Amino acid sequence: MPELTAGRFARRCGVRFAKLATWQLTAGAAVAGLALAAGSVAAAGPWDSGQRTAERERAAALEDRGGADHGTPASRKDGTDARARKTPAAAPSAPSVLAALAAPAGTGSAAVPEERALAKVLDPLLNGGSLGAQRTAAVVDAATGKQLYGKGAGEALTPASTTKIATAVAVLSAAGPDHRITTRTVLGPGSGKAANVVLVGGGDPTLTARKDAKGNASLRTLAEDTARALKAKGVDTISLRYDTSLYSGPLVHPIGLNGNIAPVSALMADEGRLDDSASGPAPRSGDPAADAARTFAKLLRDHGIKTEPSDPSSAKAPDRAEELASVQSPTLSALVERMLTNSDNDIAEALARQTALATGHPASFDGGAKAIHEQLQKLKLPLTGARFADGSGLNRADRLSASLLTALLARAADPDHPELRPVLTGLPVAGFTGTLRNRYADVADAPGTGLVRAKTGTLTGVNTLAGTVVDTDGRLLAFAFLATGTTDPKTAQSTLDRAASALAACGCS
């Protein structure tokens, strides 16, 4: 492959990159979590048409794990698979991001942008009519948390899916990045020929019944292990029930039955999807717990265990019941990354409930919302005007400020909080992964391709974007842009993308 210089890169993309330097493209690729050959990176980045295609495929392949290389998560509690016992490896982005942040403030190694210069770049974009009646913005130096630019930064607006950033910080700080969610079967007291077995939901939104579990907890594995345990006891006929009592409150999100989210249950397989999709809107089951239990009964029958009745009913597992088998989710760090990359609402609501469980609140919409607020309060984050009504941002009653979003991102970038790193590594990469894969294609916003990492947010009349970018002076910036009252979502999204790209192309010191 011929050498690709920064100049040839810019000409091929048809854009001018101001002071974008080779090192910045390299840093951007690292921040994007893309595995690049050192020689190619030194030549100025992965932007040759053929290599760009390869990197897109690489990024897409990583999406199942949230865009970072975390190995194969454990799925069996007994840990018989050596690969399953592998703990999460450092994502490719971590060394570049955290090493830059570790530099002492004020060393002069990377100049801090000036507010006046940032305003000159951002105001023409953020003051335009495409962003509706209300818009707020904040840009902070991720290394210090100092606000460098603000436009109504403390005003709380509807955040849409950028709410997931708050959910991520809350669950990682409350439950820990290595926590896994357990789904299990237990043996209850019984009479007559059939033993009583209960399938107990633990709230794992990634539990799957598909043949290829892709590192997720497998309902098939749980059925196989349960059948083996029953046969060891001489049992081949059971009465099967399922337990969803870990969660409380309404199952259906306030938006109602919707392809964007299944009823929120402590037990579900494949997010209650009725098709083969793994992300995005899809037809959903109206009762994912019952469907998962029916599937489990069939899998048990495939392993020689008869179930009576064939259609399981709901029942709470007895206290101190004997465990037969269990499977575990990927770590919360991996779930957070997947939630952010794909804007997965089912995972978001499950993580809100995990926050509630870790902090002693009811595992419900209200309990999760209260737990998130209290957890962020413990972290001394700016919560003026903030309101949480769910964990996903689908609820229009949510309110967050640009100041809070940038503070969350800066806290995640703080070397003193390594447990929050998945908040950064899970952010979609402009032009490459998740909800930003098909954005940043226009000439005007292309300078942010591969350099901007950001969580998108979209509801009717609401467009938001919050994330990080390395500017041309080498400073890692956290930004948040929120707009309410937009009438043309495509134009509004493009405006926000251009604002983020302007930060990437800015030497504003």
Side-chain angles (χ1 to χ4, degrees):
M1 180 174 63
E3 180 179 350
L4 182 64
T5 65
R8 290 177 65 190
F9 161 41
R11 289 194 295 273
R12 288 189 185 189
C13 291
V15 295
R16 296 180 64 188
F17 280 81
K19 296 193 294 180
L20 273 182
T22 296
W23 74 265
Q24 191 191 13
L25 297 175
T26 304
V31 171
L34 305 176
L36 307 176
S40 298
V41 173
W47 308 108
D48 167 80
S49 58
Q51 193 169 353
R52 178 167 180 162
T53 300
E55 290 304 332
R56 283 184 183 273
E57 292 174 353
R58 164 68 173 164
L62 290 175
E63 276 196 41
D64 285 338
R65 293 171 300 207
D69 184 4
H70 281 299
T72 303
S75 62
R76 295 196 188 211
K77 190 174 181 180
D78 61 20
T80 53
D81 186 343
R83 292 175 301 169
R85 297 195 301 270
K86 183 179 178 181
T87 56
S93 56
S96 296
V97 175
L98 299 183
L101 292 174
T107 59
S109 59
V112 179
E114 295 179 354
E115 183 173 358
R116 191 181 308 173
L118 285 173
K120 185 176 181 180
V121 170
L122 293 177
D123 280 350
L125 293 165
L126 299 179
N127 290 338
S130 65
L131 295 184
Q134 291 179 288
R135 74 290 308 275
T136 64
V139 179
V140 306
D141 177 13
T144 64
K146 178 183 178 181
Q147 182 172 296
L148 306 175
Y149 174 87
K151 179 182 290 295
E155 182 182 356
L157 297 181
T158 304
S161 279
T162 55
T163 301
K164 293 180 175 74
I165 296 173
T167 302
V169 169
V171 73
L172 289 169
S173 61
D178 296 326
H179 177 71
R180 299 176 188 268
I181 304 169
T182 301
T183 306
R184 59 197 178 100
T185 53
V186 299
L187 184 65
S191 59
K193 183 179 178 181
N196 286 325
V197 173
V198 184
L199 171 62
V200 183
D204 180 4
T206 59
L207 179 70
T208 180
R210 293 170 180 167
K211 289 184 178 179
D212 184 359
K214 295 184 177 179
N216 299 311
S218 170
L219 200 62
R220 292 172 180 267
T221 297
L222 184 59
E224 180 184 355
D225 291 352
T226 300
R228 183 183 300 113
L230 289 169
K231 289 177 181 178
K233 295 178 177 293
V235 174
D236 62 5
T237 303
I238 66 168
S239 175
L240 180 64
R241 302 289 186 268
Y242 62 93
D243 183 351
T244 60
S245 62
L246 186 66
Y247 286 2
S248 60
L251 294 177
V252 178
H253 191 281
I255 64 171
L257 294 174
N258 192 287
N260 286 298
I261 186 170
V264 184
S265 172
L267 176 65
M268 65 170 65
D270 300 300
E271 299 184 336
R273 294 174 181 271
L274 301 178
D275 59 16
D276 292 331
S277 66
S279 63
R284 304 300 185 105
S285 166
D287 192 346
D291 284 352
R294 281 190 286 267
T295 299
F296 187 69
K298 180 182 181 302
L299 292 169
L300 285 175
R301 290 193 292 272
D302 291 343
H303 288 286
I305 301 296
K306 298 177 183 178
T307 60
E308 299 176 354
S310 58
D311 193 10
S313 59
S314 175
K316 191 177 187 306
D319 294 336
R320 295 184 295 277
E322 178 186 352
E323 182 175 297
L324 292 169
S326 67
V327 291
Q328 291 186 313
S329 73
T331 60
L332 288 188
S333 63
L335 297 186
V336 161
E337 288 183 325
R338 192 181 311 180
M339 171 188 69
L340 294 172
T341 299
N342 295 324
S343 199
D344 192 302
N345 298 307
D346 301 278
I347 295 178
E349 296 304 341
L351 295 183
R353 282 157 178 73
Q354 290 297 316
T355 307
L357 292 169
T359 55
H361 289 278
S364 63
F365 283 108
D366 288 344
K370 289 177 181 177
I372 291 170
H373 192 283
E374 288 183 10
Q375 196 62 28
L376 300 188
Q377 196 170 40
K378 289 179 182 178
L379 294 173
K380 298 181 179 179
L381 291 161
L383 289 167
T384 301
R387 179 186 177 188
F388 295 95
D390 64 6
S392 62
L394 287 173
N395 196 321
R396 289 179 176 273
D398 290 320
R399 293 290 185 273
L400 274 68
S401 68
S403 289
L404 174 56
L405 286 168
T406 51
L408 288 163
L409 292 163
R411 187 64 57 88
D414 187 343
D416 290 336
H417 289 276
E419 74 280 4
L420 301 181
R421 182 180 62 80
V423 176
L424 299 185
T425 57
L427 293 173
V429 181
F432 282 91
T433 62
T435 54
L436 286 184
R437 177 190 288 182
N438 296 320
R439 288 167 62 166
Y440 290 78
D442 296 337
V443 169
D445 49 70
T449 301
L451 299 177
V452 171
R453 294 195 75 127
K455 181 70 201 74
T456 58
T458 307
L459 294 170
T460 302
V462 175
N463 293 92
T464 60
L465 190 70
T468 63
V469 65
V470 180
D471 72 5
T472 59
D473 289 320
R475 208 75 187 184
L476 182 68
L477 307 177
F479 65 88
F481 308 134
L482 297 89
T484 298
T486 59
T487 57
D488 183 345
K490 185 174 181 180
T491 301
Q493 285 178 1
S494 180
T495 300
L496 298 183
D497 292 344
R498 291 179 186 185
S501 287
L503 291 175
C506 183
C508 296
S509 57

